[in-house]
Amino acid sequence: MTTATNQPGFSREELLICVIARLLQGVDHIAVGVSSPIPGSAALLARAIAPSTTRVTVLNSRDLQDLNDGVSELFDQAAQGRIGAFFLSGGQIDGSGNINLVGIGEYPKMTVRWSGSFGSALLYYLVPRVILFRDEHTRRTMVDKVDFISAPGRSDSGIYRPGGPRALVTNLCAFRYDKQRGRFHLESIHPGHTLEEVLDQTGFEFDKPDTIPVTTAPEPERLTLLRTQLAALIADPYPAFAERVWKITALAR
Amino acid sequence: MTTATNQPGFSREELLICVIARLLQGVDHIAVGVSSPIPGSAALLARAIAPSTTRVTVLNSRDLQDLNDGVSELFDQAAQGRIGAFFLSGGQIDGSGNINLVGIGEYPKMTVRWSGSFGSALLYYLVPRVILFRDEHTRRTMVDKVDFISAPGRSDSGIYRPGGPRALVTNLCAFRYDKQRGRFHLESIHPGHTLEEVLDQTGFEFDKPDTIPVTTAPEPERLTLLRTQLAALIADPYPAFAERVWKITALAR
Amino acid sequence: MSTTDLDALAARIPDGSRVAIPTSRHGVAMQATHALINRRVRDLHLVAVPTAGLQVDLLIGAGCVKTVESAGITLDEHGQAPRFVAAVKAGTINVLDTTCPALISAIQAGEKGIPFMPMRGLLGSDLLTHRRDYRVIDNPMASSGDPIVLLPAIVPDFALFHAPLADCHGNVWIGKARELMTMAHAARQTLVSVEEIIDTNLLHDELRSPATIPAPYISAVSVCEQGAWPLPLPDRYAADNDELCRYVLAGKTDSGFIDYLNKQHKPPSLSIAATA
Amino acid sequence: MSTTDLDALAARIPDGSRVAIPTSRHGVAMQATHALINRRVRDLHLVAVPTAGLQVDLLIGAGCVKTVESAGITLDEHGQAPRFVAAVKAGTINVLDTTCPALISAIQAGEKGIPFMPMRGLLGSDLLTHRRDYRVIDNPMASSGDPIVLLPAIVPDFALFHAPLADCHGNVWIGKARELMTMAHAARQTLVSVEEIIDTNLLHDELRSPATIPAPYISAVSVCEQGAWPLPLPDRYAADNDELCRYVLAGKTDSGFIDYLNKQHKPPSLSIAATA
């Protein structure tokens, strides 16, 4: 267990939002799946600090999406290259970037069963910048080898794959994905956490620099942006989250 | 040139409509393309004398179709087996049932160029009962071999082809299509016309019985039906035709 | 098309049918599902287009399901679908796992009457490993090797869903839930419950026509106010989260689930109206 | 999305572009086409979805077209398209003949970002003989040999059409002409002229949203009353048959065509309004 030496001026959620927002720089169209308040907030923050052409699609929100052609539209957009960044997660994520959304044990009669693979087996291949995000960094989630590959981190050469993982952000640290080597590279450890803790909680091998930076704290102006302009916007798709983190409720329509 | 010995109690159009209507018996869903007043009238007649479940789709009409999903819907329906009968024609039709909607001469720089093949290269293969109709029976239209095959009359075994030509109706006569032999079989010659005339005007070889029946005249009750109930209905998609044949104009909406 | 009651609607679905159903957000025929359960349908092959939740969980718990094909079975913010998870662990249902776009594409292939549809992705996944019906070919349009997955068309025996509106001719208006149109086009028969039936022709309504499924695709319609309850109906009513919480609690155990099934399931507003 | 005038709209289409256009009945951007002709665009590759008429004939006659891909070029009840026929005979344009469902399927493949779409039919036709880009494979889903045609996806550089309505956010309402949606999804850029722009959000309009193309697909919108004239706009105005007769007559000869092109082409109602 770690203890923060002094109280930071930001919450854990705000830190993660700012870490992810940095990974979204330069993306024209960021799409966010359901039930993803931290990536969704990051996308909105990225849009707020980016050129006016940057677009955010939050699935199933009223105001933050302009999909109107049924379930296929998002996937068709991804296949056409109309989506620059997306977020995926996994019940298990392994050191090759494989994600498992199906369950633990031997398929099909698994000992733990999750919902299923959703759109991952297309989006992970076709969206250029997929950010893996998992708020629980333990040996249960960060495994050496997933029990079931919903979608692989890397594909053989010769397989059409314009997309794939760019980074893995957890509650402990941020990894960059090395596409050539098919491995994660530790980029930074969040304030209050240690390399020892990361090693302890990670079931896969990863690369790391000799000195590991502490994750950059949220930029003050971005924190202000989040707490003022953006919190109400975030409350539209994620009311419970905005209420918990910023004590704000959605604007009346 | 032929001369009718006595004035028949029906018009040429009425005869053709009744001939085609007989070919549509037992079809659940009859679809009719654009600018096809005689087949369209035959379809409406077939519906009027058939069980109440029989359906007629007249492309681009307001009341006689319930397609509302763009141009693809008709073809998707045909591919699914949702259309039982359709009508095709050809600038040239040959003795194997091949149709040519593209032109005369060597493709692509043809000496005569028509509009194009439209939906024939799907519909001719997939609609079980395709009726070929051509109001001009001459050696120009009924040829030994078409210059360009928009769609073939018959396909090799092993090719998925639930549909194809059932009959060829012209201003002179009616042929049945022999699927096994891939040839036309003369069924009847319309009143006022002769075998000599048919042979004279046909560029392809065809089979024929020893005695060739005269095409059955329109059934009186069907004539009445056409002239009373149906004429106004036909005037919806084909106003000029209904005006010319029955001196009737479309009902006001 | 005929207008009928929910029991008669449910009676049209024989045991062993392949039934396409929409996502929890786009108009699930929940009350018709209870009628299906009441008639003790068996061996259904459910095709979620492309995910499902409460509806599938109830049918699985009630023993109506042999196979479920989906990209995800979830009660969304209410968590895992308890009867689905229990059945997978017990091995009592056959699960065909896939990914959302594969299911949609396969239904679109069914709609188009073509034998398959290609899709990018899936290669190297265990989804593909376990789907013997999917094929991999070299993309014939590419100059060099370019493997691509082909998905066989899905032609469901039935599409079953709930929509806001039908007209007296049997046309059904679906709003923005476009895949309901695709499902109806693809399925051999389509059964629909609706909030209300209006006395007009939706196909002649310039505004509603583009989102209207024409009557020839529709085999039967039942009127059922709040027919998606406790799931939402877009632009009409939200999910009844209290009821969903009750379900999650009940579904944790076999006996809790049976108790839940045996209760009357009526939307609160209708119960009130009935009492008043 | 930006609102712009017709000349600016036309200026966005470079020489040599592949441009998808709808059938004559579903909203042709005729006034924008005159702007294209005025700017002397060259070497267009027109993709009719799936047939065309007056628009293509004008562009061909004006020397703007290198290739036309279609299932039919016709002035419908007004007969053959005279400049198209003349150009084919003269060998001055490249014609890619095909069949309606093949064009639609290829555009749908473009929409879905897949490299091809299979289609039944075409085998044994001369359409297939002359289309080197179509491929025939053995259907991998069948147990024995089952040849089937694969159509390469079409991703047009532009979709260009006329629609009844846009909103101030750049969303465009198309009514029942569903293939306009498909074209906009498939094309890299979509340019639209509309009868009017309204000050609302079409995507938040429950009735209009299902037939609305969202703004991100739309590169530019021009307001142009009677923009499809003399062709019809569904539920708005019919074809101007007198004008079409005038065109047929003029189009018979090179000089007649040039005279026709050089005249002012305005819908009569607008000319009257301008004079009054």
Side-chain angles (χ1 to χ4, degrees):
Chain A
M1 200 174 163
T2 63
T3 315
T5 47
N6 53 0
Q7 200 66 12
F10 51 84
S11 68
R12 193 178 63 88
E13 289 86 355
E14 287 170 333
L15 176 79
L16 293 171
I17 290 168
C18 290
V19 169
I20 295 175
R22 282 176 213 127
L23 294 165
L24 299 172
Q25 212 180 328
V27 178
D28 281 346
H29 181 198
I30 307 160
V32 188
V34 293
S35 319
S36 309
I38 288 174
S41 303
L44 291 170
L45 176 58
R47 182 178 72 171
I49 58 186
S52 62
T53 52
T54 300
R55 191 154 65 92
V56 171
T57 294
V58 178
L59 283 187
N60 301 338
S61 77
R62 178 182 185 273
D63 293 322
L64 292 169
Q65 55 110 340
D66 28 35
L67 299 166
N68 70 330
D69 200 35
V71 176
S72 64
E73 191 175 10
L74 178 86
F75 303 107
D76 293 351
Q77 287 190 351
Q80 288 187 312
R82 289 186 191 265
I83 297 175
F86 194 79
F87 304 91
L88 288 171
S89 190
Q92 293 178 330
I93 297 171
D94 74 20
S96 305
N98 300 319
I99 60 174
N100 173 7
L101 294 155
V102 168
I104 297 175
E106 199 178 332
Y107 187 83
K109 209 176 142 176
M110 303 179 112
T111 52
V112 173
R113 170 73 207 204
W114 301 313
S115 303
S117 305
F118 294 93
S120 63
L122 182 145
L123 297 169
Y124 206 33
Y125 296 76
L126 302 183
V127 175
R129 210 180 287 195
V130 175
I131 314 294
L132 298 172
F133 174 68
R134 182 74 214 231
D135 207 4
E136 179 200 331
H137 188 143
T138 64
R139 283 187 174 257
R140 199 179 75 97
T141 58
M142 303 296 150
V143 301
D144 183 42
K145 203 171 175 321
V146 294
D147 286 14
F148 185 101
I149 301 176
S150 287
R154 195 169 66 152
S155 298
D156 291 344
S157 73
I159 287 181
Y160 178 82
R161 182 157 193 181
R166 168 68 60 106
L168 164 62
V169 177
T170 74
N171 54 316
L172 299 186
C173 63
F175 297 96
R176 171 170 57 77
Y177 187 74
D178 184 330
K179 205 175 171 177
Q180 257 57 48
R181 307 191 61 203
R183 286 165 64 91
F184 289 107
H185 179 97
L186 185 61
E187 287 266 290
S188 70
I189 297 176
H190 302 336
H193 298 285
T194 63
L195 175 60
E196 190 189 5
E197 191 185 359
V198 170
L199 288 167
D200 212 42
Q201 298 292 344
T202 308
F204 58 76
E205 284 188 15
F206 54 86
D207 299 329
K208 54 180 186 297
D210 293 339
T211 332
I212 300 160
V214 175
T215 303
T216 307
E219 298 81 349
E221 71 282 9
R222 296 189 183 179
L223 263 187
T224 309
L225 209 54
L226 274 175
R227 291 168 182 176
T228 57
Q229 283 171 250
L230 294 181
L233 202 60
I234 292 165
D236 164 20
Y238 311 112
F241 178 79
E243 165 82 43
R244 181 164 59 79
V245 178
W246 298 295
K247 318 262 174 286
I248 199 157
T249 49
L251 293 173
R253 279 173 194 162
Chain B
M1 202 175 158
T2 63
T3 318
T5 47
N6 52 0
Q7 201 65 13
F10 50 86
S11 67
R12 194 179 62 87
E13 289 85 355
E14 287 169 334
L15 177 79
L16 294 171
I17 290 168
C18 289
V19 169
I20 296 175
R22 284 178 213 126
L23 294 164
L24 298 172
Q25 212 180 328
V27 178
D28 281 345
H29 181 198
I30 307 160
V32 188
V34 293
S35 320
S36 310
I38 288 176
S41 302
L44 290 170
L45 176 58
R47 182 179 71 173
I49 59 186
S52 64
T53 50
T54 300
R55 191 153 66 92
V56 170
T57 294
V58 178
L59 283 187
N60 300 338
S61 77
R62 180 183 183 270
D63 292 322
L64 292 169
Q65 55 110 337
D66 28 36
L67 299 166
N68 71 332
D69 200 34
V71 176
S72 65
E73 190 176 9
L74 178 85
F75 303 107
D76 293 351
Q77 287 190 350
Q80 288 188 312
R82 289 186 190 263
I83 296 175
F86 194 79
F87 305 92
L88 288 172
S89 190
Q92 293 178 330
I93 297 171
D94 74 21
S96 306
N98 299 319
I99 62 174
N100 173 7
L101 294 156
V102 169
I104 297 175
E106 199 177 333
Y107 188 85
K109 209 176 144 177
M110 303 181 114
T111 53
V112 174
R113 169 72 207 203
W114 301 312
S115 303
S117 305
F118 293 92
S120 63
L122 182 144
L123 297 170
Y124 207 32
Y125 296 76
L126 302 183
V127 175
R129 210 180 288 196
V130 175
I131 314 294
L132 298 172
F133 175 67
R134 181 72 214 233
D135 207 3
E136 178 201 332
H137 188 143
T138 64
R139 283 188 175 258
R140 201 180 73 96
T141 58
M142 302 296 148
V143 300
D144 183 44
K145 203 171 175 322
V146 294
D147 287 13
F148 185 101
I149 301 176
S150 287
R154 196 168 64 152
S155 297
D156 292 344
S157 73
I159 287 182
Y160 178 83
R161 183 158 190 181
R166 168 70 59 107
L168 165 61
V169 176
T170 74
N171 53 316
L172 298 187
C173 62
F175 298 95
R176 171 169 56 77
Y177 187 73
D178 185 329
K179 204 175 170 179
Q180 257 57 49
R181 307 191 61 203
R183 284 166 66 90
F184 288 107
H185 179 98
L186 184 61
E187 287 266 290
S188 69
I189 298 177
H190 302 336
H193 298 286
T194 63
L195 176 59
E196 191 189 3
E197 191 187 0
V198 170
L199 287 166
D200 213 42
Q201 298 292 342
T202 307
F204 58 75
E205 284 186 17
F206 54 87
D207 300 329
K208 53 179 186 297
D210 294 338
T211 330
I212 301 160
V214 175
T215 303
T216 308
E219 298 81 349
E221 69 283 9
R222 294 189 185 179
L223 266 186
T224 310
L225 209 54
L226 274 174
R227 292 169 181 175
T228 56
Q229 279 171 254
L230 295 181
L233 201 61
I234 292 165
D236 164 20
Y238 311 113
F241 179 79
E243 165 81 43
R244 180 163 59 76
V245 177
W246 297 293
K247 319 263 177 283
I248 199 157
T249 49
L251 295 172
R253 277 172 195 163
Chain C
M1 199 287 299
S2 63
T3 305
T4 181
D5 68 22
L6 287 179
D7 290 334
L9 193 88
R12 286 170 172 258
I13 301 181
D15 290 357
S17 299
R18 183 144 80 150
V19 183
I21 51 175
T23 69
S24 297
R25 281 170 291 103
H26 281 175
V28 175
M30 280 306 301
Q31 300 316 306
T33 300
H34 282 289
L36 256 179
I37 290 171
N38 289 342
R39 93 147 193 71
R40 299 183 179 282
V41 69
R42 287 294 175 268
D43 293 333
L44 293 180
H45 177 142
L46 298 175
V47 181
V49 183
T51 62
L54 179 66
Q55 180 184 27
V56 163
D57 213 51
L58 281 172
L59 285 165
I60 289 173
C64 308
V65 179
K66 184 174 186 179
T67 299
V68 57
E69 183 165 3
S70 92
I73 303 291
T74 169
L75 302 182
D76 300 307
E77 61 268 41
H78 299 279
Q80 293 284 307
R83 295 294 95 196
F84 165 71
V85 170
V88 168
K89 288 185 187 175
T92 54
I93 58 167
N94 180 24
V95 183
L96 295 172
D97 269 288
T98 186
T99 183
C100 299
L103 264 167
I104 303 276
S105 295
I107 293 275
Q108 287 174 333
E111 173 184 43
K112 293 193 74 61
I114 53 179
F116 58 85
M117 185 87 89
M119 193 195 100
R120 291 298 191 184
L122 272 171
L123 295 162
S125 74
D126 284 330
L127 296 171
L128 184 59
T129 313
H130 292 279
R131 290 299 297 250
R132 299 287 163 84
D133 53 339
Y134 291 4
R135 297 271 174 283
V136 180
I137 65 164
D138 248 350
N139 171 15
M141 302 296 162
S143 49
S144 64
D146 174 19
I148 187 166
V149 177
L150 303 184
L151 314 157
I154 295 177
V155 178
D157 298 313
F158 296 91
L160 172 68
F161 52 82
H162 184 74
L165 209 60
D167 68 21
C168 51
H169 306 281
N171 303 303
V172 174
W173 185 77
I174 56 168
K176 274 203 288 190
R178 174 77 197 171
E179 59 276 7
L180 301 183
M181 181 86 80
T182 312
M183 285 162 59
H185 286 174
R188 293 203 174 84
Q189 290 194 48
T190 293
L191 308 177
V192 186
S193 60
V194 296
E195 293 289 314
E196 57 174 325
I197 294 188
I198 58 172
D199 185 24
T200 177
N201 189 330
L202 287 164
L203 288 175
H204 292 175
D205 173 343
E206 189 198 17
L207 294 181
R208 286 204 180 89
S209 169
T212 295
I213 303 173
Y217 295 101
I218 309 289
S219 299
V221 172
S222 288
V223 184
C224 178
E225 216 178 312
Q226 298 214 42
W229 178 87
L231 294 175
L233 187 63
D235 287 319
R236 298 299 158 110
Y237 43 88
D240 181 343
N241 284 315
D242 293 346
E243 178 70 13
L244 290 169
C245 288
R246 275 191 289 277
Y247 177 73
V248 170
L249 211 63
K252 278 186 205 278
T253 62
D254 290 2
S255 60
F257 177 80
I258 297 297
D259 283 351
Y260 182 89
L261 256 200
N262 289 338
K263 273 187 206 136
Q264 275 289 346
H265 295 284
K266 291 278 175 228
S269 62
L270 293 188
S271 316
I272 291 161
T275 326
Chain D
M1 200 289 300
S2 63
T3 306
T4 180
D5 67 23
L6 286 179
D7 290 335
L9 193 86
R12 286 170 173 256
I13 301 182
D15 290 357
S17 297
R18 182 144 80 151
V19 183
I21 52 175
T23 70
S24 296
R25 283 170 289 103
H26 280 176
V28 175
M30 279 307 300
Q31 300 316 304
T33 300
H34 282 290
L36 256 179
I37 291 171
N38 289 342
R39 92 146 195 70
R40 299 183 179 283
V41 69
R42 287 295 175 267
D43 293 334
L44 292 180
H45 177 142
L46 298 175
V47 181
V49 184
T51 63
L54 179 65
Q55 181 184 26
V56 163
D57 213 51
L58 281 172
L59 286 165
I60 288 173
C64 307
V65 179
K66 183 174 187 182
T67 299
V68 57
E69 183 166 3
S70 92
I73 303 293
T74 170
L75 302 182
D76 300 306
E77 60 269 40
H78 299 278
Q80 292 285 307
R83 296 293 97 197
F84 165 71
V85 170
V88 168
K89 289 184 186 176
T92 54
I93 58 165
N94 180 23
V95 183
L96 296 172
D97 269 289
T98 187
T99 185
C100 298
L103 264 168
I104 302 278
S105 296
I107 293 274
Q108 286 173 332
E111 173 184 43
K112 294 192 72 63
I114 53 179
F116 58 84
M117 185 87 88
M119 193 194 100
R120 291 300 191 181
L122 274 173
L123 295 162
S125 74
D126 284 331
L127 295 171
L128 184 60
T129 313
H130 292 280
R131 290 298 300 249
R132 299 288 163 81
D133 52 339
Y134 291 3
R135 296 272 175 280
V136 180
I137 64 162
D138 249 348
N139 170 14
M141 301 297 162
S143 49
S144 64
D146 174 19
I148 187 166
V149 177
L150 303 185
L151 314 157
I154 295 177
V155 178
D157 297 314
F158 296 91
L160 172 67
F161 53 83
H162 183 74
L165 208 62
D167 68 21
C168 52
H169 306 281
N171 304 304
V172 174
W173 185 77
I174 56 168
K176 275 205 286 191
R178 174 76 197 171
E179 60 275 8
L180 301 182
M181 181 86 80
T182 312
M183 285 161 61
H185 286 173
R188 292 203 174 84
Q189 289 194 48
T190 294
L191 307 177
V192 187
S193 61
V194 295
E195 293 290 314
E196 58 173 325
I197 294 187
I198 58 172
D199 186 25
T200 176
N201 190 331
L202 287 164
L203 288 176
H204 291 175
D205 172 342
E206 189 199 17
L207 293 181
R208 286 204 179 88
S209 169
T212 294
I213 303 172
Y217 295 101
I218 309 289
S219 298
V221 173
S222 287
V223 183
C224 179
E225 215 179 313
Q226 298 213 42
W229 178 89
L231 295 175
L233 188 62
D235 288 317
R236 298 299 158 111
Y237 44 87
D240 181 342
N241 284 313
D242 294 345
E243 178 70 13
L244 290 169
C245 288
R246 276 192 288 278
Y247 177 73
V248 170
L249 211 63
K252 279 186 205 280
T253 62
D254 289 3
S255 59
F257 177 81
I258 297 297
D259 283 353
Y260 182 89
L261 256 200
N262 288 338
K263 275 188 203 132
Q264 275 289 343
H265 294 283
K266 290 279 176 227
S269 63
L270 293 188
S271 315
I272 292 163
T275 326

